[in-house]
Amino acid sequence: MIISLLATILSCQGTFGDEIKNPGFVMDENETLPNAWVLEGKVASVKKSVFEKNSYKPVLTGGKSPVVLSQEITLPDSGSYFVIGKFRAEIEKGTFFIQAKGESVDKRIEFTISKEICKRTLFSVHTTGPEIIKLSIGLVANTLGLVFPDTLFVYKEQYFKNVALNLDKMKSEIAAITGVSSFDAGTFDQNVETIATSINASLLNKTGQEGQAIASLYASDLFKSEQTSYLHTYMVDEKDRNAYCQKSSLSLDEILKLYKIPVRQIHWQKNCSGIHQFTEYWNPYDKQWKLIDLYYGIRYVDNELNYLGFEEVEKLVRENNFSMGNVIKRDMGRLYFDEKEIMDGWQYTDLAVRIIRK
């Protein structure tokens, strides 16, 4: 079954320290619009709902014309940025959207049914230098419904700390057992799966012949460091397989970061509480984020068997085009596999996206 996660790792109301300081939606009783937001559309004003005593937030009401709140935000330098949102949408007909658009950026997410989400990453945008983008939230023309925006902001993705450790010894020992030495265009995704296989083998089969050598390595003092603290702790101290999805996902995160590969932790959550955790990593040759789930031993693919990231899978789900044909088993070991859980996970839960900086 899908397992509960350790509360110390996931909080859907987590802190986003690198937030770009754009204003929120709170208004006082005399304001007709939240500060710095511009109203687009042929309506006289934005309705307000009580947020706290003498504080309000906007309510967007659909009609014949589009109704959009937007503001310009300066992205200070090159890199990737999360667009974070929290909202409630009551849609009877039409489309609600959130968009980030600039000279080199144009990303949009759409909803055609009622939806309420906790504060979470909606999508990621990338820029090659400083850029001004327009961040928008609204309803297209002829939409019947209401939207209650709560949060919408941007923050810079940061994946690595300044690590003073010499990681070459760790990588050379991993290479001696797994054969993974370098990541290039032809071997990148397979190397990730090889590392995933080593983690499943070491955590699930510590006493068996297959996992014994790699388990011994990961449990050694070489990996007793901040860089691999989760993995080493699981190898030395853990005696059971509770929260295995979390343990395997965080362990893969740490090993891939030894090779300077950006990694995200993806969580299915219900009522803002995580119920399943897996991994997304960046392939720089394909310029693509790709999901991998060690617990189920699976990848997600399109019709041409290209690996997918969470944004592409969620788009398929929103368009009712997601099926088990988008899920493939890989030979990397697994604790458990259940088609219904996987389908339900994407269709009846929400996502949280987190970065564990190492």
Side-chain angles (χ1 to χ4, degrees):
M1 56 169 27
I2 297 179
I3 53 184
S4 298
L5 303 182
L6 300 177
T8 55
I9 298 299
L10 174 61
S11 168
C12 77
Q13 299 295 336
T15 299
F16 297 92
D18 298 306
E19 177 181 343
I20 307 301
K21 298 299 182 181
N22 55 305
F25 289 105
V26 177
M27 303 177 283
D28 65 33
E29 61 182 350
N30 298 317
E31 291 179 312
T32 58
L33 288 174
N35 185 35
W37 291 90
V38 175
L39 179 63
E40 303 176 16
K42 297 180 180 180
V43 293
S45 65
V46 173
K47 294 182 179 179
K48 296 189 289 188
S49 63
V50 175
F51 170 57
E52 294 175 343
K53 185 177 181 181
N54 298 322
S55 295
Y56 303 85
K57 288 191 175 181
V59 182
L60 305 183
T61 304
K64 293 182 179 180
S65 300
V67 181
V68 182
L69 286 176
S70 66
Q71 69 166 283
E72 290 189 341
I73 298 171
T74 299
L75 304 184
D77 52 28
S78 62
S80 292
Y81 297 81
F82 281 151
V83 174
I84 308 293
K86 179 182 179 182
F87 62 83
R88 176 165 59 91
E90 299 175 359
I91 305 298
E92 295 183 38
K93 181 183 71 173
T95 302
F96 159 62
F97 72 91
I98 294 173
Q99 184 173 28
K101 188 171 184 178
E103 185 177 344
S104 66
V105 170
D106 192 358
K107 189 72 73 73
R108 179 180 173 112
I109 186 171
E110 295 184 342
F111 302 88
T112 57
I113 60 173
S114 296
K115 183 74 173 177
E116 182 173 5
I117 68 165
C118 303
K119 185 163 65 177
R120 56 154 290 191
T121 297
L122 300 170
F123 52 82
S124 183
V125 296
H126 184 83
T127 180
T128 57
E131 184 169 344
I132 297 174
I133 66 168
K134 184 169 79 169
L135 191 61
S136 304
I137 179 170
L139 296 154
V140 304
N142 299 311
T143 293
L144 181 61
L146 301 172
V147 172
F148 301 82
D150 180 276
T151 303
L152 188 61
F153 65 91
V154 178
Y155 90 105
K156 181 75 177 289
E157 300 172 36
Q158 301 285 356
Y159 292 92
F160 304 104
K161 291 182 179 179
N162 294 323
V163 179
L165 296 174
N166 182 350
L167 305 178
D168 290 342
K169 179 62 174 176
M170 287 182 176
K171 292 189 288 187
S172 66
E173 292 295 327
I174 292 172
I177 296 177
T178 67
V180 171
S181 58
S182 62
F183 287 74
D184 56 38
T187 65
F188 200 96
D189 292 328
Q190 182 54 56
N191 281 352
V192 171
E193 288 192 18
T194 299
I195 296 297
T197 302
S198 77
I199 290 169
N200 272 340
S202 60
L203 291 174
L204 295 177
N205 193 22
K206 294 181 184 179
T207 58
Q209 184 175 3
E210 180 183 3
Q212 209 165 34
I214 193 68
S216 178
L217 173 62
Y218 290 154
S220 70
D221 287 344
L222 179 62
F223 285 80
K224 191 178 182 180
S225 70
E226 180 183 357
Q227 192 69 24
T228 51
S229 56
Y230 292 127
L231 173 64
H232 187 268
T233 298
Y234 301 150
M235 294 305 307
V236 173
D237 296 336
E238 298 293 338
K239 306 301 182 184
D240 57 48
R241 296 174 182 176
N242 289 332
Y244 184 73
C245 64
Q246 184 181 73
K247 295 172 185 176
S248 59
S249 188
L250 290 173
S251 297
L252 180 62
D253 188 306
E254 290 184 322
I255 297 298
L256 293 185
K257 285 201 173 88
L258 299 179
Y259 300 89
K260 296 302 179 185
I261 299 172
V263 182
R264 299 167 175 169
Q265 293 297 310
I266 311 297
H267 309 259
W268 290 337
Q269 56 180 19
K270 283 188 176 181
N271 301 319
C272 300
S273 296
I275 60 171
H276 181 61
Q277 184 169 336
F278 49 109
T279 310
E280 186 180 51
Y281 67 90
W282 176 252
N283 182 318
Y285 300 100
D286 295 341
K287 299 188 184 305
Q288 171 71 37
W289 286 97
K290 302 184 180 186
L291 292 169
I292 185 169
D293 190 323
L294 278 69
Y295 179 86
Y296 293 121
I298 59 174
R299 294 275 205 165
Y300 295 96
V301 297
D302 61 17
N303 292 336
E304 297 178 352
L305 299 184
N306 298 307
Y307 292 149
L308 301 178
F310 86 85
E311 290 184 40
E312 290 81 16
V313 175
E314 283 202 301
K315 188 172 187 293
L316 289 172
V317 174
R318 288 195 302 272
E319 295 173 350
N320 293 318
N321 290 325
F322 180 73
S323 71
M324 285 305 296
N326 298 112
V327 181
I328 56 172
K329 290 184 179 180
R330 301 296 297 167
D331 186 17
M332 55 185 171
R334 60 180 52 84
L335 179 65
Y336 181 79
F337 181 84
D338 186 280
E339 291 187 3
K340 185 178 186 302
E341 284 187 5
I342 294 169
M343 292 297 295
D344 287 351
W346 287 103
Q347 293 175 332
Y348 303 120
T349 71
D350 202 7
L351 285 191
V353 182
R354 292 289 180 266
I355 297 171
I356 307 297
R357 292 183 65 186
K358 290 284 186 177

